[in-house]
């Protein structure tokens, strides 16, 4: 008699945020579920070498910088000393707690963890090769591909994770760099660059585009550029990296800005120029799996691929490479498999940069609304006019809303300031319900809180801000 455990209702390839959430949701819906993961721990890039460890270091480095530069303002006199080994241990402990948490959730929800490398074959057969070479063959009714992404390398700067690093190596430097060159002024580059700057490194960010954080709202970019420069980040925008010489003790990076060439001498280089779909174990050509122009798996609004019974989610399908996006896509895929009416949309997908101050946004940027020719109104409120921000000595930044000029429907929200990642959720919820600036503006907000800045910015769309 066939082993039913080898023919589950759902088999997920990949145990990252999208994959493990898809597996848990499928199990919650009563589907027998297997999740294939090669790594020794669950959680994928996000939990192991991405979101979680970087945020742990961001938090620790923020504490260090506060103690060093700002505690005295609050009447607290200290002389902090950096203990990098302890900071790294704490980071590792946080990662460990999260990976163990995912494993616990698998056990709680009766998800089978198939440890090994998954290979999808024709007819939705999946071979799982364990570390010892043993192969187990599954014949699931449905497959969810959640293989994630990998960092993009520059041809002349291959990752060795010692001197030339991706996000993985930049989380484990054995010392504080004397000079860290960050290639790429996006989220990863600015976050990890901020960590090491706070800890004492000289940090130079090289960005090919005219500004850092390309694609973001222009007001936010201007404010972020001003703040980061004041903090000590050197930013070379509109600058191309033309080559590099890697030596045992460092890297010479050759750059060109508007025809002017120069060399940057660094002991470490972080290359963060983007990520690309990682289709390990997925031979798209042999399977006939449709891919997009950037190598991403093509899916519909219910995460279906062109192959019957095969779904794909997360970084493997492209778009914004965000853990929370992957999670929601995983939920949709599981629910569709279970016969529920579920579909994915991205109109209000939030994005966050965990620098300090934080940067958070959802919906359209002002230049995007303007390009559509749509009439709109803007409301903007500075944290410098917010009572709670003053008590916290966190007065940098602002909240900005963009709304339709006729209907007052919220089209976008952009925040740069303390706790922006948490403040944004109110706007996301309002936009999910196609709410208006007035909906937020007439909602009572506790005083004194940073959230009052959100209310005031919404009132600003209507020309009714009180405290400015």
């Amino acid at each position: 008699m066939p082993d039913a455990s080898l023919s589950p209702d759902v088999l997920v390839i990949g145990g990252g945020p999208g994959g493990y959430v898809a597996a848990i949701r499928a199990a919650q819906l009563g589907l027998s579920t297997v999740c294939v993961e090669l790594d020794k721990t669950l959680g994928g890039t996000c939990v192991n070498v991405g979101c979680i460890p970087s945020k742990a270091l961001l938090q620790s480095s923020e504490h260090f910088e506060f103690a060093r530069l700002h505690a005295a303002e609050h009447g607290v006199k200290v002389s902090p000393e950096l203990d990098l080994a302890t900071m790294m241990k704490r980071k590792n402990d946080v990662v460990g707690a999260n990976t163990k948490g995912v494993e616990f959730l698998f056990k709680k929800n009766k998800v089978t963890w198939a440890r090994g490398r998954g290979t999808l074959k024709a007819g939705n057969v999946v071979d799982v090769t364990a570390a010892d070479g043993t192969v187990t063959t599954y014949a699931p009714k449905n497959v969810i591909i959640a293989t994630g992404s990998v960092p993009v390398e520059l041809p002349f700067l291959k990752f060795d994770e010692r001197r030339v690093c991706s996000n993985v190596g930049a989380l484990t430097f054995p010392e504080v760099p004397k000079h860290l060159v960050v290639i790429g002024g996006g989220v990863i580059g600015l976050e990890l660059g901020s960590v090491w700057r706070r800890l004492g490194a000289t940090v130079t960010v090289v960005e090919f585009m005219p500004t850092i954080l390309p694609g973001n709202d222009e007001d936010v970019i201007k404010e972020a550029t001003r703040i980061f420069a004041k903090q000590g980040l050197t930013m070379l925008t509109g600058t191309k990296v033309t080559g590099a010489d890697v030596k045992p003790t460092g890297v010479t990076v050759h750059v060109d800005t508007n025809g002017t060439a120069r060399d940057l001498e660094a002991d470490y280089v972080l290359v963060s120029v983007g990520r690309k779909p990682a289709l390990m174990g997925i031979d798209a050509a042999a399977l006939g799996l449709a891919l997009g122009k950037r190598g991403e798996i093509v899916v519909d609004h219910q995460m279906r691929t062109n192959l019957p019974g095969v779904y794909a989610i997360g970084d493997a399908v492209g778009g914004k490479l965000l853990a929370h996006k992957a999670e929601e896509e995983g939920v949709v895929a599981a629910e569709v498999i279970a016969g529920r009416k579920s579909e994915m949309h991205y109109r209000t997908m939030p994005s966050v940069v965990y620098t300090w101050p934080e940067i958070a946004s959802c919906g359209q940027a002002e230049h995007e609304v303007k390009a559509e020719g749509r009439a709109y109104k803007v409301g903007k409120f500075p944290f410098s006019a917010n009572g709670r921000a003053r008590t916290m000595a966190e007065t940098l930044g602002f909240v900005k809303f963009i709304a339709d000029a006729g209907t007052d429907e919220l089209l976008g929200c952009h925040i740069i300031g303390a706790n922006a990642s948490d403040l944004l959720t109110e706007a996301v919820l309002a936009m999910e319900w196609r709410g208006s600036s007035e909906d937020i503006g007439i909602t009572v907000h506790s005083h004194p809180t940073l959230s009052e800045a959100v209310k005031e910015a919404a009132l600003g769309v209507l020309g009714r801000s009180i405290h400015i």
Side-chain angles (χ1 to χ4, degrees):
M1 189 172 183
D3 187 345
S5 66
L6 299 180
S7 299
D9 295 318
V10 180
L11 183 143
V12 184
I13 304 176
Y20 82 70
V21 168
I24 291 171
R25 183 62 183 133
Q28 288 177 342
L29 293 168
L31 302 173
S32 56
T33 307
V34 172
C35 183
V36 181
E37 176 54 59
L38 173 66
D39 291 343
K40 295 179 180 179
T41 55
L42 295 165
T45 293
C46 173
V47 176
N48 289 279
V49 292
C51 316
I52 298 303
S54 65
K55 303 312 167 282
L57 287 182
L58 280 160
Q59 189 70 50
S60 295
S61 63
E62 284 167 16
H63 288 324
F64 178 72
E65 183 165 75
F66 176 81
R68 189 169 61 87
L69 298 180
H70 305 296
E73 300 170 16
H74 296 263
V76 181
K77 294 185 178 181
V78 293
S79 299
E81 179 181 344
L82 176 63
D83 182 348
L84 185 60
T86 297
M87 188 178 290
M88 289 295 182
K89 181 182 181 301
R90 177 186 178 274
K91 179 253 301 180
N92 294 338
D93 289 345
V94 171
V95 169
N98 278 270
T99 58
K100 288 183 178 69
V102 177
E103 191 169 350
F104 166 77
L105 291 172
F106 269 24
K107 292 176 181 177
K108 176 185 176 182
N109 290 281
K110 297 180 173 59
V111 174
T112 298
W113 176 9
R115 301 172 188 247
R117 180 181 295 278
T119 302
L120 178 61
K121 295 187 173 182
N124 296 359
V125 172
V126 178
D127 285 345
V128 178
T129 305
D132 63 3
T134 303
V135 178
T136 303
T137 299
Y138 291 86
K141 298 179 180 67
N142 299 276
V143 175
I144 300 177
I145 300 171
T147 47
S149 63
V150 293
V152 174
E153 282 189 315
L154 293 174
F156 48 82
L157 266 179
K158 298 289 186 180
F159 297 127
D160 59 22
E161 302 301 357
R162 293 187 298 274
R163 293 296 173 181
V164 180
C165 300
S166 67
N167 58 290
V168 178
L171 290 166
T172 58
F173 288 151
E175 61 191 359
V176 176
K178 295 180 179 65
H179 185 199
L180 171 64
V181 169
V182 177
I183 302 175
V187 178
I188 295 173
L190 291 174
E191 287 185 356
L192 291 177
S194 292
V195 166
W196 295 107
R197 179 200 60 76
R198 293 170 191 154
L199 299 181
T202 295
V203 178
T204 301
V205 178
V206 181
E207 171 56 54
F208 178 73
M209 299 297 285
T211 69
I212 59 170
L213 298 170
N216 279 263
D217 187 87
E218 292 174 1
D219 284 346
V220 169
I221 292 173
K222 290 176 184 176
E223 182 76 350
T225 300
R226 182 186 67 81
I227 292 172
F228 295 155
K230 190 173 181 180
Q231 290 175 348
L233 283 177
T234 298
M235 288 167 287
L236 304 179
T237 55
T239 299
K240 181 180 181 180
V241 178
T242 57
D245 299 317
V246 182
K247 297 161 285 189
T249 57
V251 184
T252 301
V253 182
H254 311 302
V255 301
D256 183 285
T257 307
N258 298 322
T260 301
R262 61 185 291 197
D263 290 342
L264 303 175
E265 299 293 341
D267 43 347
Y268 295 94
V269 173
L270 164 60
V271 180
S272 55
V273 294
R275 299 180 67 87
K276 61 183 179 181
L279 304 185
M280 291 88 70
I282 311 295
D283 189 337
L287 294 167
L289 179 65
L291 300 181
K293 294 180 180 179
R294 298 183 178 180
E296 75 280 11
I297 300 173
V298 176
V299 293
D300 65 11
H301 61 288
Q302 293 187 310
M303 313 318 297
R304 290 188 175 94
T305 71
N306 65 308
L307 302 180
V310 179
Y311 300 73
I313 62 174
D315 290 3
V317 303
K320 291 185 177 181
L321 306 187
L322 302 166
H324 47 274
K325 165 187 167 289
E327 290 179 357
E328 293 306 312
E329 290 171 340
V331 169
V332 169
E335 291 182 346
V336 170
I337 290 170
R340 299 206 172 191
K341 293 182 178 179
S342 187
E343 61 182 49
M344 194 68 199
H345 70 84
Y346 303 94
R347 186 177 61 89
T348 60
M349 185 62 63
S351 297
V352 181
V353 186
Y354 291 92
T355 49
W356 196 260
E358 293 179 342
I359 300 168
S361 64
C362 66
Q364 292 177 290
E366 184 175 355
H367 67 269
E368 293 173 326
V369 178
K370 186 181 295 184
E372 291 179 351
R374 187 171 188 172
Y376 66 91
K377 297 182 292 183
V378 171
K380 197 172 174 183
F381 189 83
F383 282 104
S384 59
N386 174 266
R388 179 61 173 152
R390 288 171 180 157
T391 67
M392 296 168 62
E394 296 290 357
T395 55
L396 297 174
F398 56 80
V399 180
K400 175 180 178 178
F401 277 110
I402 304 161
D404 185 275
T407 65
D408 194 36
E409 179 184 349
L410 291 171
L411 305 176
C413 179
H414 307 275
I415 307 175
I416 177 169
N419 301 351
S421 58
D422 297 314
L423 296 175
L424 182 72
T425 304
E426 176 181 7
V428 175
L429 180 61
M431 290 175 63
E432 276 290 313
W433 291 94
R434 294 197 174 272
S436 65
S437 62
E438 187 176 35
D439 289 329
I440 292 179
I442 65 174
T443 300
V444 178
H445 289 61
S446 302
H447 175 78
T449 60
L450 295 176
S451 69
E452 290 176 288
V454 178
K455 174 186 174 76
E456 291 274 9
L459 288 172
V461 174
L462 307 171
R464 290 164 41 187
S465 292
I466 301 295
H467 292 91
I468 190 173

